[in-house]
Amino acid sequence: MSKQMTGAEMVVEALKDQGADTLFGYPGGAVLPIYDAIFQQNFVKHVLVRHEQGAAHAAEGYARSSGKVGVLLVTSGPGATNTVTGLTDALMDSIPLVCITGQVPTHLIGSDAFQECDTVGITRHCTKHNYLVRSIEDLPRILHEAFYVASSGRPGPVVIDIPKDVQFATGTYHGPKNIQHKTYQPQVKGDLAKIRHAVEMMAAAKKPVFYTGGGVINSGPEASELLRELVKLTGFPITSTLMGLGAYPASGDKWLGMLGMHGTYEANHAMHDCDLMIAVGARFDDRITGRLDAFSPGSKKIHIDIDPSSINKNVKVDLGIIGDVAHVLEDMVRLWRTSAPQVDAGALKQWWKQIDTWRERKSLAYRPSKETIKPQHAIQRLYELTKDRDTYITTEVGQHQMWAAQHYHFEKPNRWMTSGGLGTMGYGLPAAVGVQMAHPQALVIDIAGEASVLMNMQEMSTALQYRLPVKIFILNNEYMGMVRQWQELLHGGRYSESYSEALPDFVKLAEAYGAVGIRCSDPDKLDDAILEMIDSPKAVIFDCVVEKAENCFPMIPSGKAHNEMILAELSDDAGVEIGSIIDERGKLLV
Amino acid sequence: MNAPTLNPPPPPPSPYSSALGKSNIEQHTLSVLVDNEPGVLARVVGLFSGRGYNIESLTVAEVAHGEHLSRITIVTSGPPEAIEQIGHQLERLVPVHKVTDLTTHARAIERELAMVKVRGKGDDRVEALRLADAFRARVIDATTESFVFELTGNADKIDQFVELMRPIGLVEVSRTGVAAISRGPEPI
């Protein structure tokens, strides 16, 4: 199957061989040969974005919702630099991407040529790995290796920088068969002795909790199935990070809700008071742990992760198991079944009783309103009206994202696309484009804020060009809401530059793009308006005008522990000065 | 209550900073076998700067020409947990074959080469040569008013020699950084 062809043709051929049928990109001088090769074939569908950052996020949405590698193609110089935010986002959230960038011809590299930049230098820190292809002989190997590196182990973005002369050069193409990477071979099977030890620790636990993360989603649908089985077998409570939502169904009776800074009271208290924490594909990020020296002080900790550097990075654990989540959980379920351990049923019952008292605090409650739409209410209605459909949710970053995580309930993995680690405003709209490309028949909704969505609003053109009926559901409070909230908590309510002045009329904006615009500010008309959005066969921008000064609670204030949460009821109390909750230490934090 | 204070309290340790790593700082020598491909040194050095790790010394050269393997020897310092993390972070780099902590895993031999230029006349010359002899340093260049000594040893020995040369007329020093290898018949 080795054939003579040009470098540009090799790129297309490799995409075929890797099953990458969708490509997000933007042409330019240094990638014209590849665009010419794309023009002359029918397998790879190219989606023309309006900004290269959009291509990266679209590829992320595509990858996260389909389990495949997302692919993007951009030109040299500004094309490459515009992808940096998306690549960093993919690195932080472990999303497999292959980003092909054009480069000036080899003999011009280093001469400050037009649209030249040091792409591998710039992207070295924001990719899992990157390549500058110096000769046509290396190109087929690098193309296939890039897909392998992006999708193996802990997934991540890989850049292939291809100079224009290499795209024109002719060489021998090899398929992906028999390409064995000489150094990169991540361990997927967990150490059985350690897994056995973990099962013993779990059997002896009196107050256990599963703490699961995006690694479960990345490990594939079978990992979610095994997790559900293990929770069922053990009867242990389970909470998840933002990135792990959907791995365990929100309707499950063992579900505590999301944990962390805006997690539920019961999830955070269970984490704080547990005697055994089983971390599965989660990385003890600061949004999760809160104050580290007060993090779950009385517990033994088991940590399952495919990345050895994640173990003992932020929190010292008692038992680290290196391996792919699905592989380790498979062994764990099998060992649990065969050993059929006697759990301390009395203790577990007591633990659940304790959890129920935390649940009774109803930490996601908010004060309803008849006059204005409460943002939480908007998400709840959106959930109720879309939950029985084939729905995928993306978000931007901010208050709306946290409300979506709290009030939209996920039953399946790969249904929730959000920027967790990097916190990239402007992620949701292009991600929705990517999700809709992967799932043409599905209902794809970007839950957005009016500030975030403007960061990549240009991708509405992409949605319209490909007739993608994405729904942009904007919780419009005319503020960068999370910034405003932190200014209220930390800076005496001095709302420096966080008011969204001079907003566009989103209905007219939608119409200008050729989409449908809907505005709603009346709680009584909200359901009908949402149904109108869902039923529209076209792309929709929904301007949901919500309560302006609503804060996102519950919240672990900066520098506090899991058992020092602020609840909405507290913040409503007349006697409590909300600006006094976070102390000087906490103010230093992000 | 949010008015700026004139004498802000000294910044306390961040509660988000690692609960680990409050213990003693140790110095470790890591041996990193890498594919000798363009940019590999930048990846290693960039990892150290990006994550705020220390580099006390770094040497690199190809050690197996046929297999395009280079050996990087890094002397770093930090609490034991940070050193362990550095090892794992290095292993994440795709072109890295193997990372060995020579300080914990093997009784390693460490050597560094230095060239030391000393200027002086009369008794100072005699004294410089006498000390060089005691340190087994070789004269590799000489003029009527200067010497260049070549000296091999561990870093402490070189430090000591340089200090002794300072009052005599030390002009400049060029050091290679530490190279290290484990004792016994086995490779790392």
Side-chain angles (χ1 to χ4, degrees), chain A residues 244-430:
Chain A
L245 296 177
Y248 184 81
S251 61
D253 62 341
K254 304 292 182 281
W255 177 240
L256 303 181
M258 182 176 77
L259 82 158
M261 185 171 268
H262 292 287
T264 66
Y265 193 76
E266 53 270 33
N268 285 330
H269 276 254
M271 288 288 281
H272 187 269
D273 284 7
C274 67
D275 73 342
L276 180 69
M277 179 187 297
I278 308 131
V280 188
R283 61 183 177 91
F284 295 91
D285 162 89
D286 61 54
R287 296 294 101 156
I288 293 304
T289 60
R291 185 181 181 140
L292 268 174
D293 55 13
F295 174 70
S296 193
S299 63
K300 296 259 184 208
K301 297 171 187 77
I302 299 169
H303 188 184
I304 302 166
D305 206 293
I306 197 156
D307 178 0
S309 76
S310 281
I311 290 167
N312 293 333
K313 181 172 67 180
N314 298 331
V315 170
K316 186 101 183 147
V317 298
D318 301 276
L319 179 63
I321 301 173
I322 296 162
D324 171 56
V325 166
H327 284 83
V328 174
L329 289 184
E330 190 183 2
D331 286 334
M332 211 172 240
V333 165
R334 188 170 43 78
L335 288 173
W336 187 278
R337 278 187 192 286
T338 51
S339 65
Q342 280 294 312
V343 294
D344 188 340
L348 285 179
K349 200 173 167 195
Q350 203 56 37
W351 179 229
W352 274 108
K353 222 171 130 183
Q354 174 65 61
I355 287 169
D356 285 338
T357 63
W358 291 325
R359 277 178 168 165
E360 279 161 25
R361 294 296 292 269
K362 301 213 178 305
S363 59
L364 297 182
Y366 57 93
R367 187 163 293 173
S369 166
K370 286 205 182 316
E371 288 75 43
T372 58
I373 299 176
K374 287 285 187 147
Q376 302 94 326
H377 176 69
I379 304 283
Q380 283 179 331
R381 293 317 304 158
L382 183 71
Y383 169 67
E384 291 298 333
L385 296 169
T386 58
K387 66 180 178 184
D388 296 325
R389 295 170 187 253
D390 184 18
T391 309
Y392 291 79
I393 302 290
T394 73
T395 74
E396 312 288 333
V397 167
Q399 283 184 325
H400 68 273
Q401 177 191 29
M402 292 298 112
W403 281 318
Q406 292 172 342
H407 297 281
Y408 203 100
H409 307 297
F410 296 91
E411 297 296 308
K412 295 180 192 164
N414 305 98
R415 297 285 169 151
W416 165 245
M417 272 52 64
T418 194
S419 171
L422 195 63
T424 310
M425 293 169 72
Y427 168 88
L429 172 45

Side-chain angles (χ1 to χ4, degrees), chain A residues 373 376-386 389 473 518-535 542 544:
Chain A
I373 299 176
Q376 302 94 326
H377 176 69
I379 304 283
Q380 283 179 331
R381 293 317 304 158
L382 183 71
Y383 169 67
E384 291 298 333
L385 296 169
T386 58
R389 295 170 187 253
F473 189 77
I518 299 172
R519 177 173 297 114
C520 184
S521 54
D522 180 349
D524 292 332
K525 293 181 181 153
L526 181 60
D527 276 23
D528 285 344
I530 290 174
L531 286 172
E532 185 191 341
M533 173 184 84
I534 297 168
D535 291 336
F542 190 118
C544 188

Side-chain angles (χ1 to χ4, degrees), chain B residues 71-140:
Chain B
R71 182 164 174 150
I72 303 177
T73 308
I74 305 169
V75 181
T76 184
S77 61
E81 298 84 358
I83 306 275
E84 186 193 332
Q85 181 67 208
I86 290 169
H88 289 311
Q89 291 293 349
L90 285 168
E91 280 165 353
R92 288 178 78 187
L93 299 177
V94 169
V96 167
H97 285 256
K98 194 171 186 186
V99 181
T100 308
D101 186 337
L102 287 170
T103 306
T104 56
H105 288 96
R107 293 171 302 124
I109 306 159
E110 296 187 3
R111 287 294 181 270
E112 188 175 355
L113 185 144
M115 288 180 275
V116 182
K117 184 176 286 186
V118 182
R119 186 175 199 154
K121 289 198 163 176
D123 287 349
D124 282 343
R125 283 175 72 80
V126 179
E127 179 66 3
L129 281 173
R130 203 179 59 75
L131 286 166
D133 191 45
F135 278 79
R136 293 189 191 142
R138 294 198 302 138
V139 176
I140 53 175

